[in-house]
Amino acid sequence: MRGAPTTRRPVDENTPAVATAADAGETWSRFWGRSQSLIPTLAAVVLFVSMLVYAEIAYGRVFHLGTMSSLLVSFAPTIILAVAMTIVILSGGIDLSVGAVVAFTSVSGVMLMGAGVNGWLAIVLMIAFGALFGLASGVLIQYFSVQPFIATLAMMFLARGLASMLSTVPVHAPEGAPIELLATDWKLIDGPKVNDLVLTPGFFIAVVVVVGAVFFLHRTRTGRTVYAIGGAESSAQLMGLPVARTRVSIYIISGALAGLAGVVYTAEVGGKAQNVTGIGWELDAIAAVVIGGTLLTGGVGYVLGSVVGSLVLAALWMIITKDGSIKPEYLTIITGGILLAFVLLQRVLTKRKSE
Amino acid sequence: MNRLRALTRTPWFWGIVGIAVLLLVNTIKDPTYLAVGINPTTGQLSGNVLDILRVSAPIVMIALGMTFVIATSGIDLSVGSVMAVGGAVAMVTLSNLGQPDSVGAMLTAIGLAIALGALLGAVNGFLVSVVGLQPFITTLVMMLAGRGIARVITGGQNTNAENAPFRALANGQFLGLPLSFVLAIVIVIAVSVVMRRTALGLMIESIGINPRASRLAGIRPRPILITVYVLSAVLAATGGLFTVSEVMTVDVSGTGYQMELDAILAVVIGGTSLAGGKFSIVGSTVGALLIATLNKTVLFLGVSAAATPAFKAIVIVALVLLQSERVRALVLHRGNRPQTPAAPLAEPAQPKEVVA
Amino acid sequence: SGGSTGAGSSGDSAGPGTELTTVGFVAVGPEGGWRNANEQAIKDAFSKDAGFDLKYAPAASPSDQKSQLDAFSTFVNDEVDVILLTATEASGWEDELKKAKEAEIPVILLDRGVDAPSDLYVTRIAPDNTQVAKSVGEWAATTFPSGANYFVLEGVPGLSVVNERNEGFDAAIAGKSGWNKVGAQTANWKTDEGKSVIETALKASNNGIQFIFAQNDEMGIGAAQAVAAAGLKPGTDVKIATIDGTKGALEALAKGDLSFVAQYNPFFGTDAVDAVTKTLAGEKVDSTIIVKSATFDSAEAAQKALDEGKGF
Amino acid sequence: MVNEIFPVVEVRGASIAFPGVKALDGVDFRLLPGEVHTLMGENGAGKSTLIKALTGVYQIDSGSIAVFGEERRFANTGAAQDAGISTVYQEVNLCTNLSIGENVMLGQEIRSVFGINWRATHARAREALQEMGLGHLDTRAPLDSISIALQQLVAISRAMVRKSKVLILDEPTSSLDAAEVDVLFGVIRRLRDRGVAILFVSHFLDQVYAISDRITVLRNGGFVGEYLTRELDRTELISKMIGKDLGALRALGSNRQIDERDRTATPVYSAEGLARTGALAPTDLDIHRGEVVGFAGLLGSGRTELARLIVGADKPDAGTVRLAGTTATIASPVAGLAHRIAYSTENRREDGIVGDLSIRENIMLAVQAQRGWLRRVPAREVDRLVTMYMERFSVRPNDPDRPIRLLSGGNQQKVLLGRWLATDPELLLLDEPTRGIDVGAKADIQETVAELAEGGMSVVFISSELEEVVRLSERIVVMKDHRKIGEVAGGPDVTAERIVSIIAADSDERAETLVADPRVIDGEGEHA
Ligand SMILES: Nc1ncnc2c1ncn2[C@@H]1O[C@H](COP(=O)(O)OP(=O)(O)OP(=O)(O)O)[C@@H](O)[C@H]1O
Ligand SMILES: Nc1ncnc2c1ncn2[C@@H]1O[C@H](COP(=O)(O)OP(=O)(O)OP(=O)(O)O)[C@@H](O)[C@H]1O
Ligand SMILES: [Mg+2]
Ligand SMILES: [Mg+2]
């Protein structure tokens, strides 16, 4: 039914190893059978690479150190948010508040810095504020049976409102505040003009977050509980898994990561914070998660997929910019259309495998 | 006492309480708040309550459509954009026809708006039921695309038009009530009758609760899902018509912007679960009225623009808390068995769609 | 397309056949009537015939600075010849501007300014928001010599335009007696919200509002309808002033629904082309170029403007 | 003798009331170490509720629960597990999105400094599965690639990983076949000998007598008594369960059919080469008017698949179907129902009930679907049908407006039967209709089947209980490895043993190649 596999997977030592020619096929199809949930994610990777290749051919300067650095650095906050959203969505929930939490944490944090609070402490407080919003959502959801959509929508309004109440004009961190260090340019490779590989601490924070999330989801019991809750909550409950604790933690993590994204973004724009930051970012994060192959119903998906999803969005914007001939009216039609193309393609791929 | 208890368990009861409290707060600020008088210049009845009813009409429409989509365990994020599409079609049609007093022009505009709305809804329904994409992402795409379509229709301009009959949709009165509200209620009643007199409502609920079992019981999910999304979009387009008829201008970026959130809130406040299943039309209507009252209260109290979202958040949290079993138990001092009723005997088992 | 390294920076005006000057335009995208007119004017001016290859990059949404930053850095990495920037937000641009400087790409600001040392960009071409708002305030001060109860319809809270327009207006009426602010609410630049806000504000204040300052035309038009619905006469009982000067507003002014429209002139495409050509030729350009904006304070003036096609 | 031993679990006067039902009413119960204790009672007697109360799913309203002599109130199932009580609840409660091994080990994954050590975890899972005779399963395959029955065994393996002092099994055998039950009982006995206290629920009297030391009987949420198994004979047990001497029992052994049907008539249903890749090898099948055809076979032999293809729940990809002689295409349940073929699923929770709808609506669902959404079934007809079927199967509680989700498993099954009978089918496919049903109701259902056939309806009867199949069927289709291996005419000389021997005899080379259940790899696909 499937073409002869070219890559031979190492045979799991625990499977009875009868080395016959047919066995290779079986091992392959066994691996295939186990890895069905990877397909959408792999599809996203393939699509991402093809987008880059297309852009390189059509517009040039894509595989270019400067372009790559900008892509990675500027999408660090988006990636952090996508990671947060992935964890929440895997548990079968959703967090609409992330964008607004970014706004609140950055405005409040920068104001604290301005008020003379130690810069590092202020950064920690920013993350803590984010976690508090997450805690509020988590408690509403877990203990008061409020649906995640509604609870986090309320938190979105609350965070946005509080941010606006703090200030409707941009606020700036004092000169030399530690948050600016997070945007220090580390020139790793110095090429001609802007063709440099320049990364910032913010980027590395995102990398740490991604690695941490992968570890959390795949190597800790709480992480596995996230998947179990997303798969079947009542089963998880009856299996004796700590559903309540896990769910509240999920939202706390999401809030804290939103706070962290706020830190990284604020650093990126030179220590400036504003109440209008992050409008609609939750939808970008959700789109990244979906493109990365995670099911919105929960239980199936990968953090790395969401990272790829964010990069796909980044590449999309890059192409739009490089092309530069878009009519503004068509902007959202095109972004919507491409999102649709992605999910359709994944749908086709996953359908094929089930036939 | 028992009645009261049953009543407090009706989710939309708290929606009504919420409306009452908001009206009370306004009345405290200004004792004449509830007064209704005749405006000598326009000859129409006028009063804050009438304003609330008028601005609630579009919300009632989108909340109604959203109710059925949510009952099938879907969601329709595109209603706001479809409102803009409906409004754009109407304004462009009227401004091109240029017959400021013609009822025919109005009907043409309405017909075209609703037809395009239905088409967009059918696309949603097709993608969800036939292609098998997840409703959230499907309608998110339509939310983006719809906004763009509205812009393309008007060429990106905010378009205005003159047509007296169309203008009267929102600005006219019928028996002293705003015409748009009366129309909205008539539509609500008509839809309720259809839902309950036929088995459509039952089937929507059944699909929302357990699609696999419903299929085995011989229910065809596709036509029902498509119907539901078309209905939602048609009602959204209608809501868009009410909105643009207010000011006879379509604001392609602004009309219906983020209204999907209002609609979803209204539905949830009305007691329909986002997980799908049983729906309440009365509840959603109450929810929509609450949102309208809330929006108007914010204005009346002069809550600063900056604080408005926080104020809304607090009201929403208060409401959902009141609806929660746990808080109700505390408030009514009835027993302390928080866990028992929620315990799942049978988890709503829904086959997880593969990808998107 | 795309290959643009260095070419054209000598500044020779390019005709067909010679290589085009690549111009990256970091824009705002669909926001409203004014923005459409402005961006269209820029696009028209930087046409292929005029020797330009304009790359237009709208923001993901009108308040999304992040997507603008991304577009900007893409242009820098592509080493376009010039970058035009309409920043949604004034602050947060310093790093990007420095990068452009490192890549030797001149940046010209259109409409909105940025909070950055002025050596990081060539010039800012814009009508002056504060000035325009001030003209509204000054008109109001003369129209209501003994002051008035007034209401402000604001745009999306937190945007710098909103802040600047508030500033300009407040500065003009500062110290004048009798000015009593009944309230200020956002109507998110929208007509229907403008109507709803004013409708309620009038009821809450017992029709005690004589003057409404709407920070854009759309909200002002909505306000006029609310005033009429309340049985008052716009222009007589309540005067409404708006900023932007779209066709709709001029029509409303001509009908008497609005009383004052301060145009925020969007047509500075040729000024921009001028500045770009000069910069590339190494000539000096003024560090700010203020686009002159007209004000219209009567139905006749509005009609005249309409006849002259000044609306957009 | 065991009476001196200190009980590990002791419940006194436990009561739980749900809105409108008193599910437990002053129940006493104790569980001793090293015993197998069976909880008996009719559907809805409160067995599952007692188990849930014991393990922290529900909180009791009054009474006390002591575990190892200490008064406890578990806030959740996790707390009960930590206290040494492992439970397998009535409905399979696993996560289909995770692998088999993970489901076994969830919450008890083996950890090292680098977090969970998956290799060790899967090895441990394999050990536990091995004990249940499931050593051949690939622990890394997704759970939904195996059948419900295997899933049930996986759930039991999960409970064993913990090496708890108390093991609670709520109807673990309901979807197992005889061989599987033997394996399970072997495990239970071993555990008992190790001193583990086992609480067991089953409606199969043979099993109860085979395994249990003691029996506690519940009736309508109340406590009837606690008995030593060897001192209580079956009739006595049944009369204690139902609270009166039962005549229904008489019906049980007596309606064996003799096959004397005229097979020359055109069959109501006839399939030739009906097949679906991965589910069923080409199969021929004739079903005549008014006959009861049994499908017999071991777990995973393809009985369900065949039934699903007949009704159109899955789309066949080969074969011709003739209904009363005319060719028909049945590719969806709608088409099946239109041809008056109804299928009652074995997977009640996921494919059967519509949880939040009322009993009334659940009964009427298929009838309504047949008429289309425009023509609502008139209220009078609804009332008539609902009352009729609720009475016929004595659904409890007798409140048609109650959401079906709140009924006990057995009562849900009865409502579903009502749903299919209400469509007045010509051919009724019953897949495990008696699973989880108490003796009385089981007799009712068997009697109903016989009656229906008498009235001209053709019935396909699928059950893991071979005795039952043999007793009811006029003809038995024997299945193995997803294909039909034979057909046996019913009659006094047909016994369960004979069917088993047919299955055993069919051990040709084909079976060998299919050992690794093909669905493990080629699963999925059926959720259309
Ligand atoms: N969560 C609940 N809410 C309301 N009623 C419930 C709930 N759970 C169980 N019941 C009711 O409690 C009674 C006892 O149910 P239970 O599931 O304990 O029966 P059972 O003895 O296990 O029956 P079966 O043999 O059919 O599994 C039934 O009448 C059932 O309808
Ligand atoms: N290809 C498949 N993929 C996934 N699940 C399947 C597949 N085929 C059958 N199943 C599910 O497995 C369950 C049992 O199927 P099985 O093969 O055991 O049927 P059976 O022979 O009727 O056995 P039994 O009735 O004893 O369970 C059914 O619920 C069916 O839905
Ligand atoms: Mg039970
Ligand atoms: Mg079966």
Side-chain angles (χ1 to χ4, degrees), chain C residues 75-298:
Chain C
F75 286 143
V76 172
N77 287 316
D78 283 353
E79 293 180 44
V80 296
D81 298 316
V82 187
I83 297 178
L84 306 177
L85 168 63
T86 305
T88 57
E89 273 314 319
S91 46
W93 283 98
E94 211 168 317
D95 278 2
E96 292 301 330
L97 291 173
K98 278 187 189 144
K99 252 191 243 165
K101 200 173 174 82
E102 189 192 337
E104 294 161 27
I105 303 171
V107 176
I108 291 172
L109 306 182
L110 301 180
D111 179 24
R112 312 248 178 106
V114 299
D115 293 343
S118 57
D119 63 318
L120 291 180
Y121 55 86
V122 178
T123 179
R124 174 183 174 201
I125 308 173
D128 185 336
N129 250 321
T130 324
Q131 202 55 52
V132 171
K134 214 167 177 177
S135 71
V136 175
E138 280 158 2
W139 172 82
T142 28
T143 314
F144 297 96
S146 53
N149 293 331
Y150 73 101
F151 193 95
V152 183
L153 279 173
E154 297 181 353
V156 177
L159 294 184
S160 44
V161 212
V162 174
N163 299 329
E164 285 166 11
R165 289 185 182 177
N166 273 330
E167 244 167 65
F169 181 79
D170 289 347
I173 60 164
K176 304 248 156 53
S177 64
W179 284 92
N180 169 33
K181 190 170 182 171
V182 178
Q185 286 279 348
T186 180
N188 295 311
W189 305 125
K190 288 160 67 176
T191 313
D192 53 334
E193 282 192 32
K195 180 181 179 193
S196 182
V197 169
I198 294 304
E199 165 185 271
T200 304
L202 283 172
K203 292 214 169 82
S205 64
N206 262 323
N207 292 347
I209 295 175
Q210 286 96 49
F211 173 63
I212 294 167
F213 169 36
Q215 291 188 344
N216 80 347
D217 289 343
E218 279 88 351
M219 297 189 291
I221 291 171
Q225 306 199 20
V227 169
L232 303 173
K233 213 168 152 22
T236 319
D237 300 322
V238 183
K239 292 197 196 310
I240 302 168
T242 73
I243 296 183
D244 275 357
T246 55
K247 203 150 102 207
L250 292 177
E251 282 165 0
L253 180 57
K255 274 201 302 188
D257 286 346
L258 299 180
S259 302
F260 184 79
V261 174
Q263 193 182 44
Y264 188 72
N265 189 353
F267 302 114
F268 44 82
T270 42
D271 303 82
V273 171
D274 232 33
V276 167
T277 323
K278 275 192 187 162
T279 309
L280 292 179
E283 289 170 39
K284 187 154 167 26
V285 181
D286 291 343
S287 68
T288 44
I289 300 171
I290 291 185
V291 180
K292 286 230 301 261
S293 296
T295 57
F296 308 96
D297 58 0
S298 65

Side-chain angles (χ1 to χ4, degrees), chain A:
Chain A
M1 49 184 182
R2 245 169 293 276
T6 44
T7 20
R8 209 192 140 139
R9 289 272 143 189
V11 180
D12 191 321
E13 2 138 80
N14 292 307
T15 44
V18 192
T20 60
D23 198 45
E26 189 184 315
T27 310
W28 171 251
S29 53
R30 183 177 271 226
F31 169 77
W32 188 251
R34 286 168 178 172
S35 322
Q36 306 278 298
S37 58
L38 263 176
I39 294 172
T41 305
L42 291 177
V45 175
V46 171
L47 288 166
F48 173 58
V49 173
S50 1
M51 280 174 92
L52 290 188
V53 171
Y54 166 78
E56 174 67 45
I57 294 169
Y59 311 108
R61 281 183 199 259
V62 171
F63 299 108
H64 167 275
L65 292 179
T67 306
M68 284 296 155
S69 328
S70 311
L71 203 89
L72 293 176
V73 168
S74 96
F75 273 78
T78 317
I79 288 175
I80 296 175
L81 290 183
V83 168
M85 192 66 80
T86 313
I87 299 175
V88 177
I89 289 181
L90 278 176
S91 78
I94 198 154
D95 189 351
L96 299 180
S97 70
V98 289
V101 169
V102 167
F104 175 80
T105 53
S106 60
V107 171
S108 59
V110 167
M111 286 180 88
L112 285 175
M113 292 172 201
V117 174
N118 174 294
W120 294 110
L121 177 64
I123 290 177
V124 172
L125 283 176
M126 287 168 81
I127 299 172
F129 289 155
L132 272 181
F133 278 103
L135 175 68
S137 306
V139 166
L140 282 176
I141 293 163
Q142 179 61 39
Y143 295 103
F144 296 98
S145 322
V146 181
Q147 288 151 352
F149 192 99
I150 300 302
T152 59
L153 182 63
M155 286 306 125
M156 165 177 138
F157 284 140
L158 188 63
R160 182 74 59 202
L162 291 180
S164 315
M165 285 161 81
L166 285 179
S167 170
T168 48
V169 296
V171 287
H172 296 269
E175 206 61 40
I179 196 163
E180 289 178 1
L181 295 179
L182 293 181
T184 319
D185 287 341
W186 288 340
K187 208 169 270 188
L188 302 183
I189 300 175
D190 198 349
K193 274 198 179 174
V194 284
N195 194 359
D196 313 326
L197 182 65
V198 181
L199 295 176
T200 61
F203 166 75
F204 290 99
I205 291 177
V207 172
V208 170
V209 166
V210 171
V211 172
V214 171
F215 181 85
F216 168 72
L217 285 173
H218 296 280
R219 292 247 160 192
T220 68
R221 287 187 181 173
T222 313
R224 297 321 290 171
T225 306
V226 172
Y227 277 88
I229 295 176
E233 192 199 329
S234 69
S235 295
Q237 199 118 39
L238 290 180
M239 284 189 198
L241 300 175
V243 172
R245 198 180 68 209
T246 306
R247 181 141 45 195
V248 176
S249 333
I250 289 168
Y251 286 91
I252 293 180
I253 291 174
S254 170
L257 286 179
L260 185 62
V263 172
V264 172
Y265 180 71
T266 309
E268 208 57 52
V269 292
K272 174 208 72 161
Q274 249 181 312
N275 64 326
V276 289
T277 303
I279 293 177
W281 287 9
E282 59 281 348
L283 294 182
D284 289 348
I286 293 170
V289 170
V290 170
I291 290 174
T294 299
L295 286 193
L296 280 176
T297 38
V300 182
Y302 301 96
V303 165
L304 287 176
S306 307
V307 174
V308 178
S310 312
L311 293 176
V312 164
L313 290 179
L316 171 61
W317 279 106
M318 185 180 74
I319 291 176
I320 289 178
T321 305
K322 278 182 182 286
D323 185 74
S325 61
I326 190 172
K327 278 204 170 141
E329 300 95 279
Y330 288 90
L331 183 67
T332 54
I333 298 186
I334 289 171
T335 47
I338 287 177
L339 187 55
L340 179 65
F342 261 97
V343 290
L344 279 178
L345 206 80
Q346 288 176 347
R347 177 82 198 148
V348 170
L349 284 172
T350 45
K351 214 171 193 165
R352 254 246 321 261
K353 69 114 214 255
S354 66
E355 241 120 61

Side-chain angles (χ1 to χ4, degrees), chain D residues 48 90 170-171:
Chain D
S48 302
Q90 183 167 7
D170 193 352
E171 301 201 26

Side-chain angles (χ1 to χ4, degrees), chain D residues 43-44 46-49 90 170-171 201 203 408-410:
Chain D
N43 295 134
K47 305 178 294 292
S48 302
T49 307
Q90 183 167 7
D170 193 352
E171 301 201 26
V201 179
H203 289 291
S408 77

